[in-house]
Amino acid sequence: VQLVESGGGLVQAGGSLRLSCAASGLTFSLYCMGWFRQAPGKEREFVAAIDWSGRSTYYADSVKGRFTISRDNAKTTVYLQMSNLKLEDTAVYYCAAGRTGWPSVVYDYWGQGTQVTVSS
């Protein structure tokens, strides 16, 4: 199984980025997908999740209203649209896949991460 994140980069505060996570080696439509992030010196934290069908989503309070998670099962890809970015959104962003426990998904697979840096 491979989860490959892309789309990270440097953006000014108030700007937008869209992260992608391409999955392979698994039956994508059977998996819930999540995004997590880890800032320097901090523990990894949950950002957003989407269920198998894409009809249900769940967000951390810190990103609600600014981030949108979506998926394209035909492309086996999950996305994280990030808007109105803040300095505190700076982190390495990881995608993850899990089959059980919605919305408290038990994640079985993790990507390598993509860096998002928000500047003032």
Side-chain angles (χ1 to χ4, degrees):
V1 174
Q2 278 197 314
L3 302 177
V4 180
E5 302 95 337
S6 61
L10 176 64
V11 62
Q12 284 193 323
S16 299
L17 276 178
R18 189 177 82 154
L19 304 183
S20 300
C21 173
S24 60
L26 74 171
T27 305
F28 185 74
S29 60
L30 296 182
Y31 283 80
C32 299
M33 300 297 296
W35 285 97
F36 290 76
R37 66 187 181 186
Q38 187 167 19
K42 294 188 177 181
E43 293 189 353
R44 185 170 60 193
E45 65 174 359
F46 168 79
V47 175
I50 189 166
D51 77 347
W52 311 265
S53 68
R55 286 192 290 267
S56 293
T57 57
Y58 187 68
Y59 296 93
D61 288 343
S62 59
V63 306
K64 206 171 290 183
R66 300 188 298 121
F67 290 11
T68 302
I69 188 171
S70 62
R71 66 189 294 159
D72 185 333
N73 284 351
K75 295 183 178 179
T76 66
T77 300
V78 63
Y79 305 97
L80 186 68
Q81 178 67 49
M82 306 185 294
S83 302
N84 190 21
L85 282 159
K86 303 177 180 180
L87 297 179
E88 52 264 40
D89 294 319
T90 295
V92 177
Y93 283 71
Y94 300 88
C95 71
R99 290 194 64 180
T100 60
W102 179 262
S104 300
V105 181
V106 177
Y107 291 97
D108 303 305
Y109 304 107
W110 294 83
Q112 293 300 305
T114 186
Q115 176 71 47
V116 172
T117 302
V118 183
S119 65
S120 57

